[in-house]
Amino acid sequence: MSKRNMSKRNSRREFLKTAAAGATAALFPLPALAQGAGGRVVIVGGGFAGATCARALRTLDRRISVTLVEVNPTFTSCPFSNTVIAGLREITTQQFNYQKLTADGVVTASAAAGIDPQARTVALADGNRIPYERLVLAPGIDIRWDGLPGYNEAAADLMPHAWKAGEQTLLLRRQLEAMEDGGLVVISAPANPFRCPPGPYERASLIAYYLKTRKPRSKLIILDAKDAFSKQRLFQNAWKELYPDRLEWVSLSGGGKVTSVEPATKTFVTDFGRHTAAVANVIPPQKAGRIAEVAGVTDRTGWCPVDPVTFESKQQQNIHVIGDAAIMGAMPKSAFAANAQAKVCAAALAKLLAGQKPEEPRLINTCYSLVAPDYGISVAGVYRPKDGMLVDVENAGGVSPIDAPHATREQEAIFANGWFKTITGELFG
Ligand SMILES: Cc1cc2nc3c(=O)[nH]c(=O)nc-3n(C[C@H](O)[C@H](O)[C@H](O)COP(=O)(O)OP(=O)(O)OC[C@H]3O[C@@H](n4cnc5c(N)ncnc54)[C@H](O)[C@@H]3O)c2cc1C
């Protein structure tokens, strides 16, 4: 071996040693991470918010270098995962890779383990560090494991949450498939705020559809920590029509709030009694993805307060938070909303990096829910910044008509499918 090669090998060995030491990890000098003339943005989380932001930044200004830090090589989508649980589609239709983003010049890396807001660096799990001028955190949610007595990571094997799509989705589906006809399904829904406000009720509807068609002697109960929920009248009217005597909703004031669970027997405990299920789906309290806490951008609610124009954290300069992890005022935690926020954030970042003032945005959200495969309902809203929050623009949104004919519901189910294809196609297609 030549002297030059030997010294190269030695220095690589030294670098690996330093990286393994963790605490002394050096800045990661990948050529692809070289400072773009337009600035350097690192995005943590390649879901609906983070992947959209990365793509939008590439489109806005190719001089900005964009690094996407995503822990999983495959993204599994929560939207439409309720149809997987109900056996209406396969999990593979929910899964996407990052090839398109990589081809578009976005550099992807592994898991973010730490953030240093003063030094403006992201520490990766492999010990390397990436510098940023502006950091976007889009880590989605984590389960608040201390939020419901009796519920922990081991309990989730027996009483799946299926609120992060993937193995948990399949586990709940398999439990339903294995259940005897006549078994009771119980879903517990948390208090606000949480990911996808209509999600528990869509799930209940599609499981009721599964029971109606496959296990006709079975029933489902939703135990709720709330007295009201998204698209409530639409759901309840549809349940009366499609699933009479099969689906029961127990409100907070009706004794629905679950105070603890007993996983060994799949029992939900409320102040009013106990419900033992054959299949138990606990949708637990949630918080911003853990890396947000590590970065110091969460407040005592566990979520991240942000400026509604730039989505910059109210707690740490140069760190922006988008998607489910952020507190967005009236705007719900949805993939549609995450996508809209990401585009607005990207536009704001391009302006900020160019030393200009971002414009005040208007954002739109639409959430479709399937009550049956051919029965869709929706809610839409428009939002604007006011007093440091996003508020509803009056008379600019609303829900599907209450007394619509079946053809309208069928049409909305088609729109729901169309929306899902469009948003996933835009990001990963
Ligand atoms: C059952 C269900 C049904 C739903 N249906 C709909 C629907 O029909 N329509 C709709 O609009 N919304 C729906 N939603 C809501 C939607 O899934 C979320 O609002 C959306 O995923 C939020 O996007 P996000 O980018 O904030 O988070 P995510 O999409 O969860 O993305 C977060 C990403 O960050 C990554 N990550 C986290 N931490 C790190 C780290 N430290 N390092 C590297 N990577 C990290 C994760 O791996 C993940 O890929 C549904 C949700 C559920 C649970």
Side-chain angles (χ1 to χ4, degrees), residues 262-273:
E262 295 167 9
T265 53
K266 298 190 181 175
T267 300
F268 295 79
V269 181
T270 71
D271 284 342
F272 291 70

Side-chain angles (χ1 to χ4, degrees), residues 32-45 49-70 101 105-109 115 120-122 124 130-138 310-311 318-322 342-354:
L33 297 181
Q35 172 73 61
R40 178 186 287 136
V41 177
V42 176
I43 301 169
V44 175
T52 307
C53 192
R55 287 198 66 81
L57 273 171
R58 293 306 287 155
T59 312
L60 281 164
D61 187 345
R62 291 198 79 84
R63 294 168 310 157
I64 300 173
S65 85
V66 182
T67 305
L68 182 65
V69 180
E70 168 55 53
L101 271 155
V106 173
V107 180
T108 50
I115 312 282
R120 292 203 216 174
T121 56
V122 177
L124 299 182
I130 310 177
Y132 65 81
E133 275 175 85
R134 295 268 171 182
L135 172 65
V136 179
L137 293 182
T310 60
F311 303 119
N318 305 311
I319 301 182
H320 302 245
V321 188
I322 52 174
K343 287 170 180 165
V344 169
C345 181
L349 286 171
K351 289 258 178 184
L352 289 169
L353 289 168

Side-chain angles (χ1 to χ4, degrees), residues 86-97:
L88 297 167
R89 59 201 279 166
E90 296 309 315
I91 193 94
T92 45
T93 60
Q94 300 289 112
Q95 292 176 322
F96 305 91
N97 64 43

Side-chain angles (χ1 to χ4, degrees), residues 291-302:
I291 193 70
E293 215 172 305
V294 171
V297 293
T298 53
D299 68 10
R300 59 187 175 76
T301 66

Side-chain angles (χ1 to χ4, degrees), residues 45 47-49 69-72 78-79 112 139-140 195-196 323-324 334-336 419:
F48 286 102
V69 180
E70 168 55 53
V71 61
N72 293 313
C78 280
R195 159 175 282 183
C196 195
D324 284 0
S334 77
F336 197 120
W419 166 77

